[in-house]
Amino acid sequence: MTTPSARGTLCAGRVVAVTGGARGLGRAHALAFAAEGARVVVNDLGVSLDGAGASSGPAEEVVTEIRALGGEAVAHGGDIATTDGAASLVGTALDAFGRLDTLVNNAGFLRDRMLVNLDEEEWDAVMRVHLKGHFLPLRHAAAHWRAEAKAGRRPDARIVNTSSGAGLLGSVGQGNYSAAKAGVLGLTLVAASELAAYGVQVNAIAPAARTRMTEQTFATTMAAPDTRDAFDAMAPENVSPLVVWLGSAASAGVTGRVFEAEGGRITVMDGWRPGPTADLSARWTPTAAGEATRKLLAVAEPPLPVYGGR
């Protein structure tokens, strides 16, 4: 983070809530927003990598960092995958700073297993924190912004959701995580359409960075460079500039988009688009459908490889 004397103004006057804001990407985002003048609500339960335990310490540490550098921040320790926790996140922003302008949904953990070993509890836990943990804060923030718009105070609001290469391409051993992150993409597209009338823009990122969730699973890919002066492409701080811009008023007109962010690279993802098509204008037989499909696949683009933490 920059020093107070070098603080930017891109987000001056804005209030930003970051879920999972105490470590990894969330911490980097919170510090980067504060460095651009935002007042920040740092949400984090302080759980372990698999979601066990809880501690207010990690969120408070980030708040202390921000304040030490001349910024303003408060901690929020509620569980954003519950209605009360998500509602209190919005309430904390309003109580502390009088407004909420940007929501960054980032919280998550892993329960990795191959599908034949993945049990129901591990599926539900990951779906809960990643997908429900996106929906509930989004829903409560959106309700606040809709009320503001209907009261004649149209917001200039932003939501930045966090998907993954696993959600875009799948990831072996992460069926629950991949499904949840794919769900985040669908939620993003619907929210962008539904909330536009209230002055809310909604986008998603698919980051690749070194965090607690990736440094073990993709240890070789995520390793820091050996030399001190080399560019650390997997540092989570590399992703935050895009998130800050998407969360600022400067991103006006950008909504319903998905971006990959890794190192110094930003990619606009195209998503599902129609490819080769055959139309019989009548009902196919199974054999004829298969023959037509084979011909279509022969001229279609091959699928991208399964995500490997790149």
Side-chain angles (χ1 to χ4, degrees):
M1 181 175 173
T2 56
T3 61
S5 60
R7 284 164 58 87
T9 59
L10 185 65
C11 294
R14 295 183 73 82
V15 174
V16 179
V18 181
T19 71
R23 300 184 179 100
L25 284 165
R27 173 182 174 274
H29 300 340
L31 291 169
F33 272 108
E36 289 293 336
R39 293 167 288 174
V40 185
V41 180
V42 181
N43 160 266
D44 206 289
L45 279 177
V47 299
S48 63
L49 181 57
D50 66 356
S55 170
S56 62
E60 293 287 357
E61 288 173 8
V62 177
V63 169
T64 299
E65 282 188 78
I66 291 172
R67 289 176 177 170
L69 292 166
E72 295 183 64
V74 295
H76 176 264
D79 182 353
I80 46 82
T82 67
T83 294
D84 289 346
S88 70
L89 175 65
V90 176
T92 296
L94 298 179
D95 291 343
F97 302 122
R99 60 187 297 125
L100 176 64
D101 301 283
T102 298
L103 168 66
V104 179
N105 283 316
N106 169 78
F109 57 70
L110 295 177
R111 301 282 179 88
D112 289 354
R113 295 283 189 277
M114 300 298 281
L115 289 172
V116 294
N117 297 318
L118 183 64
D119 65 34
E120 184 177 4
E121 189 278 330
E122 291 165 331
W123 175 274
D124 288 346
V126 170
M127 284 291 174
R128 177 184 181 275
V129 70
H130 286 282
L131 196 49
K132 192 175 181 181
H134 268 66
F135 161 65
L136 285 174
L138 184 155
R139 180 252 183 270
H140 285 281
H144 165 68
W145 289 323
R146 181 183 63 176
E148 289 290 287
K150 288 188 173 183
R153 298 183 295 271
R154 181 181 172 86
D156 193 9
R158 305 286 187 267
I159 297 174
V160 183
N161 292 330
T162 305
S163 184
S164 168
L168 294 164
L169 302 174
S171 181
V172 172
Q174 294 186 309
N176 48 3
Y177 179 73
S178 296
K181 289 305 192 183
V184 167
L185 298 175
L187 178 64
T188 297
L189 300 179
V190 172
S193 295
E194 291 188 359
L195 303 182
Y198 308 122
V200 184
Q201 295 181 183
V202 188
N203 294 286
I205 60 164
R210 184 174 54 255
T211 68
R212 291 193 303 166
M213 294 198 301
T214 61
E215 63 184 356
Q216 296 177 16
T217 305
F218 306 112
T220 301
T221 305
M222 295 295 164
D226 294 332
T227 58
R228 191 171 186 177
D229 295 333
F231 176 51
D232 185 359
M234 291 296 109
E237 290 80 7
N238 298 330
V239 176
S240 299
L242 174 61
V243 175
V244 171
W245 183 80
L246 288 171
S248 74
S251 65
V254 180
T255 193
R257 294 287 194 166
V258 179
F259 302 88
E260 276 196 330
E262 173 188 339
R265 178 176 60 84
I266 296 171
T267 303
V268 179
M269 303 305 290
D270 280 341
W272 291 101
R273 295 179 180 272
T277 303
D279 185 356
L280 187 64
S281 297
R283 183 177 301 151
W284 298 89
T285 66
T287 298
E291 291 173 350
T293 300
R294 290 286 188 189
K295 292 178 181 178
L296 294 175
L297 290 172
V299 297
E301 290 290 329
L304 292 172
V306 169
Y307 176 72
R310 70 176 199 285

